[in-house]
Amino acid sequence: MRVLGVDPGMTRCGIGVVDARGRQVTIVAVDVAHTKPEIAPHQRLLMISNAIEEAIRLYRPEVVAIERVFAQENVRSVTGTAQVAGIAMLAAAKASLPLGMHTPSEVKAAVTGNGRAEKAQVQLMVQRILRLDAPPRPKDAADALAVAICHAWRGGATHPDRSQHGGAGMLPRVEGNDLTPAQRMWANAERLSRRHGAVEPK
């Protein structure tokens, strides 16, 4: 399965593509779409839209995965992030691709086993999972790859459109011979975070 992951942001939008074959995940491409605050908002959205659509055209993913947006203290920031998420959703729809959406805590739990992991820990684990010489930089690049890895590992290929809804029915399996130790760790961490209502804003 080839997954295009998007870490939405108005100034920096991470775009990462991975191939998942069973337990192995390999990097295909990673990029960050940059826009400047002095540019008109609709023009910034157009630039990001073009970058995402170009990535879809070049790498032909089978699914698009996006990090879900949560309210933050900075209303302007979260509004822009939500707008970019909408742009990514539209790009997936235009390409007739299934869509998966994952919370920040789900993504962190998937790659580190801890839904409250720090950014540096996510970067390090993405480096290890993808067998890279150094952590992907900037952090938006690592986050986009983490979103793609999360979608690949949580079984989104089978029912990708369900993952945007969340809920108990989407909790990952904790048992099975086909699960890696990291996947079992993530599944237990995700169930624990859901039990305590822990959803970490981005």
Side-chain angles (χ1 to χ4, degrees):
M1 175 177 59
R2 176 163 291 186
V3 185
L4 187 147
V6 178
D7 177 49
M10 185 70 91
T11 301
R12 296 180 304 276
C13 177
I15 303 170
V17 184
V18 302
D19 278 342
R21 296 180 177 87
R23 301 178 183 181
Q24 298 297 318
V25 183
T26 57
I27 186 171
V28 175
V30 66
D31 194 10
V32 176
H34 297 269
T35 68
K36 297 181 179 179
E38 57 267 27
I39 299 174
H42 64 300
Q43 295 295 339
R44 298 176 74 185
L45 290 172
L46 177 61
M47 294 167 65
I48 295 169
S49 176
N50 289 340
I52 295 173
E53 290 187 3
E54 179 66 6
I56 291 175
R57 185 188 70 81
L58 284 176
Y59 303 112
R60 300 184 180 278
E62 298 168 63
V63 61
V64 173
I66 307 170
E67 185 169 282
R68 292 180 63 183
V69 180
F70 284 88
Q72 297 173 325
E73 293 181 5
N74 188 334
V75 176
R76 178 178 296 182
S77 174
V78 75
T79 299
T81 302
Q83 290 170 342
V84 174
I87 289 294
M89 294 169 68
L90 179 60
K94 288 171 67 175
S96 299
L97 293 173
L99 175 71
M101 300 187 72
H102 307 280
T103 68
S105 63
E106 287 170 345
V107 174
K108 292 176 180 179
V111 300
T112 71
N114 177 8
R116 296 176 177 271
E118 299 292 333
K119 290 282 188 180
Q121 188 178 0
V122 173
Q123 287 179 298
L124 179 61
M125 289 306 299
V126 168
Q127 175 191 354
R128 291 180 178 175
I129 292 168
L130 298 177
R131 300 173 297 282
L132 304 175
D133 294 333
R137 299 186 188 283
K139 62 180 178 63
D140 311 271
D143 289 345
L145 291 169
V147 172
I149 293 169
C150 173
H151 189 84
W153 279 7
R154 74 177 294 172
T158 306
H159 300 288
D161 290 317
R162 290 172 51 205
S163 62
Q164 62 182 301
H165 304 297
M170 288 305 299
L171 286 174
R173 292 181 294 120
V174 296
E175 300 294 339
N177 294 331
D178 59 329
L179 296 180
T180 66
Q183 288 172 318
R184 290 192 184 93
M185 184 183 299
W186 161 61
N188 285 318
E190 179 60 22
R191 286 175 179 271
L192 183 62
S193 68
R194 291 285 184 91
R195 188 178 305 154
H196 294 289
V199 177
E200 181 180 353
K202 184 182 174 187

